[in-house]
Amino acid sequence: MRIRPATAAVFLATVLSATVNPASAQAASSDTTFSKVVVNAGEDIVLGLTTRKTITIAWTVQDPDGVAASWAYLWHGPNTDDADGILPTYPPAGKCTVSSTDRTTSICKVSFAVDAARDVDDNDLAGTWKVLAEAQDVNDDWTAVDVVTTVRIKRYAKVTVNASPEPVKKGKSITVTGKLTRANWESGTYTGYEGRPVQLQFRKKGSTTYTTLKTITSGRKGALKTTTKAGTDGYFRFRFTGTTTTGPATAAGDFVDVR
């Protein structure tokens, strides 16, 4: 059975009484088109264990007969029939404003709350989600497009750093340790992220710019450890740039006094 917003039944009660595949309806020379679809202002959606966010989907829908209603929502999985995730669970109707210059064009948006503790309980949900958009024209014809754009939902990451000894003599070795972890939605804890490239960066005292000294790989349970030579007073930090399933993370700089 095709997944459909609960509110769609209000708008399309007559049409939905017949079983129609929305993708087929689109293929049958539909005049309705969707464009300028943007999710979360174009940013990835990064969720920790208890993150709560308001997500907005904005889009433009055009139909020569005029648009009566339109809505959109996120889904995850191989196809809409086998989707293993939908956001929001009960999608609301989009709020659409008819363009003042083109009465056949409506600019729409819908906002909904995402609660990590409630909405994501499987780590496999991290990655690419699709956006499905639907619309009903003033003649009660409707069109659905399963994938009008995509967005990534990622697991929140953390990274720590500690540089020692402090103070240290110039030219001596400094050992920098830390740990890379990420939200495990299934266990409700932050767990080590192994085998990931992490940058060791340094900022000289008085400067505002960090420079990458080297890139290392996180070890067992996300452990980080490397050495470098003491040159001048400054701050060391680890920086993880993220992956397709996990957000970026940067540690606060750890100051080392070089004497």
Side-chain angles (χ1 to χ4, degrees), residues 22-212:
S24 299
Q26 168 104 11
S29 301
S30 171
D31 293 325
T32 303
T33 59
F34 302 93
S35 62
K36 300 178 182 178
V37 185
V38 179
V39 183
N40 198 39
E43 299 293 329
D44 293 336
I45 301 169
V46 183
L47 304 177
L49 301 178
T50 59
T51 305
R52 294 182 179 181
K53 287 187 175 183
T54 297
I55 306 301
T56 297
I57 307 175
W59 70 98
T60 297
V61 56
Q62 293 177 301
D63 189 286
D65 296 321
V67 177
S70 185
W71 54 95
Y73 62 92
L74 309 181
W75 64 276
H76 181 273
N79 54 65
T80 54
D81 289 333
D82 299 310
D84 55 12
I86 307 169
L87 290 174
T89 305
Y90 299 102
K95 296 180 180 179
C96 300
T97 303
V98 178
S99 171
S100 59
T101 57
D102 181 2
R103 305 301 295 178
T104 66
T105 300
S106 291
I107 300 171
C108 309
K109 72 175 181 178
V110 62
S111 297
F112 54 90
V114 173
D115 183 333
R118 176 195 65 199
D119 297 322
V120 288
D121 58 1
D122 188 333
N123 293 329
D124 287 340
L125 291 176
T128 300
W129 285 59
K130 294 93 168 178
V131 179
L132 182 148
E134 299 190 64
Q136 175 192 23
D137 71 13
V138 296
N139 295 322
D140 288 337
D141 293 326
W142 61 275
T143 301
V145 179
D146 287 351
V147 185
V148 289
T149 192
T150 61
V151 64
R152 283 191 174 129
I153 295 182
K154 298 183 175 183
R155 297 159 63 178
Y156 186 84
K158 298 179 180 181
V159 64
T160 60
V161 67
N162 181 59
S164 62
E166 305 171 55
V168 63
K169 290 184 177 180
K170 185 174 182 179
K172 294 296 184 179
S173 181
I174 295 174
T175 299
V176 188
T177 59
K179 188 173 184 179
L180 175 64
T181 60
R182 60 174 175 167
N184 186 321
W185 296 329
E186 296 172 11
S187 67
T189 60
Y190 280 88
T191 53
Y193 198 14
E194 302 177 4
R196 298 292 117 185
V198 178
Q199 299 169 351
L200 172 65
Q201 298 186 325
F202 177 76
R203 174 170 66 88
K204 183 179 179 180
K205 182 180 178 180
S207 172
T208 59
T209 303
Y210 275 92
T211 300
T212 298

Side-chain angles (χ1 to χ4, degrees), residues 3-16 69-71 73 90-93 134-136 142:
I3 299 165
R4 183 176 311 288
T7 52
V10 177
F11 299 120
L12 307 175
T14 302
V15 179
L16 294 182
S70 185
W71 54 95
Y73 62 92
Y90 299 102
E134 299 190 64
Q136 175 192 23
W142 61 275

